[in-house]
Amino acid sequence: MTRSEDALETATSDASLARSKARSAEIDLAIDQDPSRFRILTGDRPTGHLHLGHYFGTLRNRVLLQNRGVETWVLVADYQVITDRDGVGPIRERVLGLVADYLAAGIDPERSTIFNHSGVPALNQLMLPFLSLVTESELHRNPTVKAELEATEGRAMTGLMLTYPVHQAADILFCKANIVPVGQDQLPHLEQARLIAQRFDKRYGRATPERPVFPRPEALLSEVPLLLGTDGQKMSKSRGNTIELRMSADQTAKILKKAKTDAERRITFDPEGRPEVSNLLMLASLATGEAPEAIADRIGDSGAGMLKNLVTESLNEMLAPLRERRAELIANEDYLLSILHAGNERANEQADQTLSEVRTAMQMVY
Ligand code: TRP
């Protein structure tokens, strides 16, 4: 095994996690000093509608980073939908729904670029030279690919699933993003993207000695609260235990009314011992900014009913302006399409430019 192949394995070790955390803190400070040094790429698969897990986990953070002045690129990863399913589903509705979610949450199309895979051919073409820079065994060892394979419950793994970390590297590298806000589980992907950038420049860099074609993208780890679904299980659309951003206040109340709690009347914040109650406290805390322990104290002996009312009210209050904007946006399909088309135009310019640099480095210019 070569040293560079080793690197992918170490991406998940404790020491390397500590390093990634320390580096994220440095990046965070550097953003305050000079946000113009950074470009962010993030994205979502249009496989469903965004829910509170997405909102508190990533979406809110993206908007904050954008507002701190970092150039932000947001990818609607439509080609990634077919990594693990037989069809695209109601793709058009979902893609436009994502665009509406982004805009409603505060992504500003003047400052940020919202685009989609299938609208940017040159991005996808980068996958071809990139595939030559990774080995099959390296892909099989990728922890995220392994986890995804387990989640497909015995279904055969497609070639696209196996190689999707390479496609994600193309997502990141085509626009020369140097930071990617991620959760811990995504660290191996970033390591893979860095390896591809490094190997490309090592193999073809001689044609362009003055500077590398690609930056080495780094993770910006965010402290993401581990949110559970309203049944205390992993949050997932198929379990019907999520609150989607697009839901009405009444739908939200209904789901929370059915939320699982426990038999103890007194409300306390104890994520280990009382995961369901603590999860509801966490939701209220995220919505209001008040500490979960303080909310628990305030409810005290008033019980789970009171807790549910409080969570419902605080979430609905926080989401009301977003939902209002979203409803207006979703009624205006032409506008949503114009935003996506404008984003794709910008992304195509960038992707064509990068592909041209790649072909020049590879001496494939005739
Ligand atoms: N895999 C991400 C998700 O499931 C979406 C995504 C595609 C992405 N390409 C990316 C995220 C590149 C970060 C960087 O939502």
Side-chain angles (χ1 to χ4, degrees):
M1 204 192 288
T2 65
R3 244 192 74 57
S4 51
E5 272 171 334
D6 258 329
L8 192 59
E9 306 252 295
T10 57
T12 47
S13 75
D14 285 351
S16 127
L17 180 59
R19 251 196 323 276
S20 298
K21 280 189 178 158
R23 182 62 196 136
S24 288
E26 277 173 24
I27 295 173
D28 208 53
L29 284 177
I31 289 174
D32 281 335
Q33 274 152 21
D34 183 7
S36 72
R37 281 175 49 206
F38 298 99
R39 183 178 282 192
I40 282 176
L41 182 282
T42 65
D44 302 279
R45 291 209 297 165
T47 50
H49 294 280
L50 294 187
H51 52 62
L52 286 179
H54 298 116
Y55 184 74
F56 291 125
T58 64
L59 191 47
R60 198 168 61 157
N61 191 35
R62 288 176 200 172
V63 176
L64 285 174
L65 285 163
Q66 168 199 266
N67 294 345
R68 286 166 73 190
V70 184
E71 194 187 323
T72 303
W73 292 57
V74 189
L75 165 63
V76 179
D78 56 355
Y79 273 144
Q80 207 179 88
V81 169
I82 49 174
T83 48
D84 65 349
R85 45 199 83 200
D86 295 333
V88 293
I91 190 80
R92 183 188 169 84
E93 185 210 325
R94 285 175 176 171
V95 167
L96 292 178
L98 265 187
V99 177
D101 284 335
Y102 294 155
L103 297 176
I107 296 288
D108 171 6
E110 295 289 320
R111 285 181 285 169
S112 300
T113 305
I114 302 174
F115 66 107
N116 64 286
H117 274 145
S118 66
V120 186
L123 179 168
N124 299 292
Q125 198 177 328
L126 286 178
M127 181 135 173
L128 208 150
F130 285 2
L131 279 170
S132 76
L133 300 168
V134 299
T135 65
E136 182 250 344
S137 68
E138 186 172 65
L139 292 169
H140 276 289
R141 283 200 307 271
N142 183 302
T144 318
V145 170
K146 275 195 207 163
E148 299 273 356
L149 179 61
E150 278 154 28
T152 57
E153 283 153 3
R155 261 171 39 134
M157 173 151 62
T158 67
L160 188 61
M161 173 66 94
L162 180 64
T163 55
Y164 97 93
V166 183
H167 196 208
Q168 289 212 161
D171 298 340
I172 297 165
L173 295 176
F174 98 92
C175 67
K176 306 200 175 186
N178 52 3
I179 34 180
V180 184
V182 291
Q184 277 183 28
D185 58 322
Q186 298 281 308
L187 286 175
H189 285 321
L190 264 205
E191 186 61 32
Q192 184 74 76
R194 268 198 303 278
L195 282 175
I196 289 172
Q198 209 168 297
R199 289 173 188 168
F200 183 88
D201 284 322
K202 194 163 164 227
R203 198 174 287 186
Y204 302 110
R206 255 169 306 178
T208 49
E210 62 288 352
R211 64 190 168 89
V213 174
F214 296 111
R216 306 289 182 264
E218 296 189 277
L220 185 60
L221 279 172
S222 39
E223 284 300 327
V224 177
L226 182 65
L227 285 178
L228 303 171
T230 50
D231 55 359
Q233 307 285 310
K234 188 176 177 262
M235 211 187 263
S236 112
K237 190 178 158 57
S238 55
R239 289 200 178 92
N241 64 3
T242 63
I243 293 160
E244 293 175 1
L245 298 181
R246 63 175 184 148
M247 282 175 176
S248 68
D250 284 350
Q251 279 171 301
T252 304
K254 224 165 147 187
I255 291 182
L256 285 165
K257 218 176 211 121
K258 282 189 286 183
K260 192 165 173 229
T261 52
D262 54 38
E264 210 175 312
R265 181 149 187 93
R266 188 171 178 79
I267 298 303
T268 53
F269 185 64
D270 170 11
E272 299 270 306
R274 306 181 68 187
E276 297 92 356
V277 163
S278 302
N279 189 56
L280 291 174
L281 286 166
M282 199 62 205
L283 282 175
S285 163
L286 286 165
T288 59
E290 192 182 353
E293 293 85 354
I295 301 171
D297 282 348
R298 223 152 25 82
I299 301 171
D301 287 323
S302 303
M306 169 80 157
L307 170 62
K308 288 179 180 181
N309 285 343
L310 198 144
V311 179
T312 305
E313 259 170 46
S314 34
L315 282 175
N316 280 340
E317 192 184 314
M318 180 206 73
L319 288 172
L322 186 156
R323 284 169 165 166
E324 199 178 313
R325 280 195 298 274
R326 195 186 187 283
E328 282 167 23
L329 288 160
I330 213 75
N332 193 347
E333 188 175 297
D334 286 347
Y335 176 71
L336 294 174
L337 285 170
S338 76
I339 294 299
L340 193 57
H341 293 162
N344 281 343
E345 200 171 309
R346 233 180 289 167
N348 271 308
E349 250 170 60
Q350 172 71 67
D352 290 345
Q353 167 67 30
T354 303
L355 183 60
S356 150
E357 288 170 38
V358 162
R359 290 176 57 204
T360 302
M362 295 176 79
Q363 304 179 57
M364 290 180 171
V365 184
Y366 315 110

